[in-house]
């Protein structure tokens, strides 16, 4: 691997850092961006990023992006994660937009891309179902033709931010008799359509980012189908790896090491600084090594993208390692904080506003979202090592 950011990419990093320093309140350690109390700030930050052309930095200018390099998109991910800034748009910018650019009609592109790039619309993803996650192609939500429309009925689950969303991109079965990957169609659904019912789910950290979406004869015009009917699976999967470097996890961990080091320097226990304890110093060193390995695996993916290659098992390696690393460093940080780490925000005994505890609880989700660690390892075994497909 031969990798470095260009001067232009590093200049962008400085500009973005300056913007975030100004935009975020002093002492900001990050909040759950979908929380009702934070959501207005998330949207404000997103719109400002959109105005600067940074929200969808690598999209073409005609669709509201800046025509930036994959390196710029990675710098954006790193800095947004390091500053724990709200406003990044995973669904609209990271998933749906690239898919519309490849598979959408010109009318769909003209209608939807610019509002996404400008941060004026929020999208959620309706893929997972109660019995379809890793084996997503087994999904059961049905779409039945009715004149110029489809009527969609079924249930989705784990849709992040659906309660805040204007639109949903969703997979539904249009041909129940076809082999499972071949009878699925990809739809764009206005969340205000009658028959859409969103119910929030509370996770173990007390946050309500997840939702169930119930669909009861939801009428969707045929013009809202992405790509070909019954070939939605291929459209949805083709851009799944778009700019997925997983680099945000190492940036997050580097910030954690920096914050924890500062905390340990300022905190004393029985009259001695926490940093006088050799085990704390070695824990911090181990965390730093872990974060750096994840960063380099992500840069390898970026290097492949810069060469014009499509990353394959390398992206799975970066994702599996980085998300598991994030769990390890969060657990190590909790160890350093001791019982204080388990306190919620609000007590005078709570270190760092309780964010390490939140990080610890949220870290597991990233090893599941976007393909679990087991699925990533299957890909590495199959495509990276050339081992046979499992039964
Ligand atoms: C933070 C977060 C955000 C999410 N946001 C969304 C969203 O916005 N929209 C949406 O549609 N979904 C979303 N999801 C859901 C996510 O896509 C699914 O959780 C994921 O696909 C796994 O599916 P599952 O939970 O049904 O687990 P299952 O697929 O039932 O897996 C259960 C366990 O079995 C293992 N397993 C399954 N199959 C295999 C196999 N072939 N080989 C080895 N092990 C296997 C898995 O690794 C896992 O450990 C989100 C999930 C998380 C955690």
């Amino acid at each position: 691997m031969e990798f470095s950011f260009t001067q232009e990419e590093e200049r962008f990093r400085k500009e973005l850092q300056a913007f975030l320093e100004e935009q975020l309140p002093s002492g900001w350690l990050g909040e759950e961006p979908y929380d009702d109390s934070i959501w207005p700030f998330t949207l404000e930050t997103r719109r400002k990023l959109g105005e600067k052309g940074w929200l969808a930095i690598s999209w073409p200018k005609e669709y509201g992006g800046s025509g930036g390099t994959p390196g710029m998109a990675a710098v954006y991910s790193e800095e947004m994660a390091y500053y724990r800034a709200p406003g990044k748009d995973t669904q609209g910018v990271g998933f749906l937009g690239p898919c519309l650019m490849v598979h959408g009609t010109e009318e769909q592109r003209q209608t939807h891309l610019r509002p996404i790039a400008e941060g004026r619309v929020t999208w959620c993803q309706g893929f997972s179902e109660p019995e379809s996650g890793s084996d997503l192609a087994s999904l059961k939500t049905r779409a039945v033709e009715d004149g110029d429309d489809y009527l969609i009925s079924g249930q989705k689950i784990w849709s992040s931010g659906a309660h805040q969303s204007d639109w949903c991109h969703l997979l539904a079965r249009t041909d129940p008799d076809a082999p499972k990957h071949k009878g699925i169609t990809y739809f764009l659904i206005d969340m205000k359509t009658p028959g859409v019912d969103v119910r929030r789910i509370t996770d173990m950290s007390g946050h309500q980012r997840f939702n169930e979406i119930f669909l009861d004869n939801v009428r969707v015009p045929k013009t809202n189908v992405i790509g070909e009917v019954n070939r939605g699976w291929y459209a949805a999967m083709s851009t799944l790896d778009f700019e997925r470097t997983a680099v945000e996890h190492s940036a997050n961990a580097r910030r954690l090491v920096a914050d924890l080091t500062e905390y340990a320097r300022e905190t004393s226990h029985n009259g001695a600084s926490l940093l006088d304890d050799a085990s704390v110093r070695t824990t911090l060193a181990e965390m730093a090594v872990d974060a750096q390995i994840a960063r380099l695996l992500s840069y390898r993916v970026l290097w492949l993208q810069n060469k014009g290659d499509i990353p394959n098992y390398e992206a799975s390696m970066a994702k599996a390692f980085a998300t598991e690393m994030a769990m390890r460093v969060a657990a190590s940080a909790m160890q350093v904080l001791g019982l204080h780490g388990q306190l919620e925000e609000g007590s005078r005994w709570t270190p760092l506003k309780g964010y390490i505890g939140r990080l610890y609880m949220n870290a597991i989700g990233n090893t599941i979202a976007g393909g679990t660690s087991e699925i990533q390892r299957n890909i590495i075994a199959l495509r990276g090592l050339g081992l046979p497909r499992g039964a």
Side-chain angles (χ1 to χ4, degrees), residues 34 91 123-136 156-162 169 209-211 362 364-376 378 391:
Y34 292 113
Q91 286 306 321
W123 283 82
C124 63
Q125 183 192 54
F127 281 16
S128 305
E129 297 184 2
E131 288 176 38
S132 299
S134 301
D135 181 17
L136 185 60
K156 298 292 172 178
I157 194 167
W158 309 125
S159 287
S160 305
H169 59 115
R209 157 216 289 224
F210 294 124
N211 298 273
N362 288 336
I364 190 166
N366 290 322
T367 66
I368 299 168
T372 67
S373 283
E374 290 75 20
I375 297 300
Q376 305 303 335
N378 286 348

Side-chain angles (χ1 to χ4, degrees), residues 80-125:
M80 292 294 284
Y82 194 89
Y83 279 80
R84 307 193 186 289
K88 198 173 171 217
D89 179 5
T90 316
Q91 286 306 321
V93 172
F95 202 107
L96 178 69
C99 193
L100 284 183
M101 283 181 220
V102 179
H103 301 283
T105 60
E106 195 45 39
E107 193 192 336
Q108 288 169 346
R109 291 188 200 132
Q110 293 302 336
T111 309
H112 295 293
L113 292 179
R114 193 165 275 279
I116 294 175
E118 291 176 356
R120 289 188 282 113
V121 66
T122 301
W123 283 82
C124 63
Q125 183 192 54

Side-chain angles (χ1 to χ4, degrees), residues 131-324:
E131 288 176 38
S132 299
S134 301
D135 181 17
L136 185 60
S138 66
L139 60 88
K140 294 193 185 68
T141 293
R142 276 284 276 136
V144 180
E145 258 186 292
D146 186 44
D148 289 338
D149 306 320
Y150 277 92
L151 291 174
I152 304 184
S153 295
Q155 186 196 344
K156 298 292 172 178
I157 194 167
W158 309 125
S159 287
S160 305
H163 60 291
Q164 317 271 22
S165 294
D166 308 298
W167 284 83
C168 179
H169 59 115
L170 177 141
L171 293 173
R173 187 160 301 286
T174 30
D175 183 353
D177 300 322
K180 66 179 178 180
H181 294 89
K182 296 198 169 146
I184 293 172
T185 301
Y186 197 1
F187 293 94
L188 305 170
I189 298 184
D190 184 337
M191 293 295 276
K192 289 187 295 300
T193 316
V196 175
D197 179 17
V198 175
R199 297 186 203 163
R200 298 177 77 170
I201 301 173
T202 308
D203 70 18
M204 66 177 167
S205 64
H207 294 290
Q208 292 187 318
R209 157 216 289 224
F210 294 124
N211 298 273
E212 294 173 291
I213 307 177
F214 294 88
L215 304 129
D216 182 12
N217 278 313
V218 176
R219 187 168 287 279
V220 180
K222 284 182 176 167
T223 47
N224 281 11
V225 168
I226 309 178
E228 289 176 52
V229 172
N230 289 329
R231 293 193 54 83
W233 175 263
Y234 305 100
M237 294 304 131
S238 65
T239 46
L240 200 58
D241 285 335
F242 177 79
E243 282 175 2
R244 295 288 147 85
T245 58
V247 77
E248 62 274 20
H249 304 294
S250 58
N252 230 313
R254 287 189 288 114
R255 172 69 187 271
L256 176 59
V257 174
D259 287 344
L260 192 62
T261 305
E262 200 48 37
Y263 171 81
R265 196 188 309 284
E266 288 170 358
T267 307
S268 54
H269 186 61
N270 293 334
S273 158
L274 276 185
L275 281 186
D276 290 335
D277 182 336
S279 73
V280 172
R281 296 197 302 271
T282 51
T283 298
L284 285 164
E286 261 171 41
M287 290 165 70
V289 173
D290 232 359
Q292 182 66 358
I293 297 169
R295 194 178 196 184
L296 293 175
L297 283 172
S298 294
Y299 285 177
R300 182 165 71 142
V301 176
L302 199 47
W303 167 67
L304 289 169
Q305 286 172 346
N306 282 344
K307 285 201 303 168
D309 294 349
I310 297 175
N312 188 313
Y313 71 92
E314 297 91 346
S316 292
M317 275 189 185
K319 200 263 178 187
F321 187 88
T323 54
E324 290 175 13

Side-chain angles (χ1 to χ4, degrees), residues 326-346:
M327 282 180 67
R328 279 195 297 279
V329 296
S332 300
M334 289 294 277
Q335 200 80 30
V336 170
L337 298 181
L339 269 178
H340 291 103
Q342 297 183 30
L343 298 178
E344 285 181 351
E345 188 173 4

